[in-house]
Amino acid sequence: MNIEEYLSKWKSDSLFGERQFKKLDHTLIVGQSLYLLSYKTEVSVDGAKETIEKNRFFQTRAQGLNENDDINHNGDYYVCQQILNQLESEFFKDYNDFIDGEARKKTSP
């Protein structure tokens, strides 16, 4: 599985919110690819609305390898998964903070 297939699977496996990825035209190091990963949703609690969006960058380490090579060979799978975990953690922290804050407003005297 190459990185595009891996990210496409991550995107399609979303049960909540909108997951997106985009390969950027720029890269920090020649021979590597830079991706913008994002997780976004609009949440509403009794009329209070907020858009929660988090973004992260992921850069492949495929120096000297063809981008279609199996990503497990160069560690990109592991690094990508860690970045996706961080992205989701940050996203759900902000999401839960908004929900908790609105719930506290409704229950406060």
Side-chain angles (χ1 to χ4, degrees):
M1 174 183 309
N2 68 32
I3 197 66
E4 297 271 338
E5 293 167 334
Y6 182 74
L7 291 171
S8 292
K9 181 177 178 340
W10 169 76
K11 179 181 171 183
S12 68
D13 286 347
S14 179
L15 299 175
F16 179 82
E18 179 182 342
R19 295 175 176 177
Q20 295 291 326
F21 71 92
K22 179 181 181 183
K23 183 176 179 181
L24 303 177
D25 292 334
H26 298 73
T27 185
L28 302 174
I29 299 173
V30 174
Q32 297 183 358
S33 298
L34 185 63
Y35 290 86
L36 175 63
L37 312 172
S38 66
Y39 207 145
K40 178 180 178 180
T41 194
E42 186 172 298
V43 62
S44 177
V45 176
D46 288 339
K49 292 183 181 181
E50 186 167 323
T51 299
I52 309 291
E53 181 174 12
K54 290 294 176 183
N55 299 293
R56 283 284 192 157
F57 289 102
F58 165 68
Q59 182 160 330
T60 64
R61 299 184 306 169
Q63 295 172 324
L65 296 176
N66 184 316
E67 194 166 293
N68 292 323
D69 289 344
D70 187 337
I71 61 175
N72 290 317
H73 289 142
N74 59 14
D76 284 343
Y77 171 82
Y78 177 79
V79 172
C80 186
Q81 186 59 55
Q82 296 306 310
I83 291 170
L84 294 174
N85 290 344
Q86 291 171 353
L87 175 66
E88 289 190 21
S89 177
E90 292 171 2
F91 172 83
F92 282 109
K93 181 193 177 307
D94 286 1
Y95 176 83
N96 289 332
D97 287 348
F98 175 76
I99 298 293
D100 290 345
E102 292 303 312
R104 272 189 234 102
K105 289 177 189 176
K106 302 298 179 198
T107 59
S108 297

